[in-house]
Amino acid sequence: MTKLKGEQCLMRIFVGESDRFENKPLYQYLVELFRKEKMAGATVLRGIAGFGAKSHFHTANILRLSSDLPIVIEVVDAKDKLDQIIEKIDPIVQEGLITLEKVEVIKYTST
């Protein structure tokens, strides 16, 4: 298990629910890649509303139901590991946003 404590880095990847790569949902492909690359962990969050660079509004509102809701994938790990994985995912994420920020890890445990 990866040990994390103190200052680490948070990567957020913003994509659409309908984005795909190699016949899989993009978020699923990315999470599987992060696991294979032994990242500390990843979480996928499904948004209820949002818009991106093209300003297309996506919502879960029943009157305007979108099949392309916002998806955010969050990964916390050491900056150098995230820098390496960014090189791999840059050509995969065709549309979206990738951000990095410093975070303070208080606790990371498997129990």
Side-chain angles (χ1 to χ4, degrees):
M1 180 176 98
T2 303
K3 289 199 171 231
L4 291 181
K5 189 140 175 121
E7 189 175 289
Q8 301 296 325
C9 202
L10 166 65
M11 176 174 60
R12 283 195 183 108
I13 305 167
F14 298 79
V15 296
E17 187 175 29
S18 66
D19 293 345
R20 301 186 70 75
F21 188 78
E22 293 187 355
N23 297 320
K24 288 183 181 180
L26 178 58
Y27 66 86
Q28 180 182 340
Y29 180 89
L30 290 172
V31 169
E32 289 171 1
L33 174 66
F34 298 148
R35 188 166 187 243
K36 184 178 112 186
E37 295 290 327
K38 301 191 182 330
M39 304 303 289
T43 300
V44 177
L45 308 166
R46 184 176 189 228
I48 59 170
F51 68 92
K54 293 182 180 175
S55 291
H56 293 152
F57 189 66
H58 305 272
T59 180
N61 181 320
I62 194 69
L63 299 176
R64 196 176 154 175
L65 193 58
S66 172
S67 61
D68 191 24
L69 292 172
I71 297 289
V72 180
I73 304 115
E74 294 190 337
V75 184
V76 176
D77 213 312
K79 173 112 171 52
D80 60 332
K81 284 186 77 175
L82 292 176
D83 288 341
Q84 290 174 1
I85 202 75
I86 286 171
E87 291 179 19
K88 291 183 180 185
I89 67 172
D90 185 48
I92 295 169
V93 179
Q94 297 295 308
E95 287 189 26
L97 173 69
I98 301 173
T99 66
L100 287 175
E101 62 185 84
K102 291 179 185 176
V103 293
E104 185 74 20
V105 173
I106 306 301
K107 183 175 184 177
Y108 177 68
T109 181
S110 63
T111 58

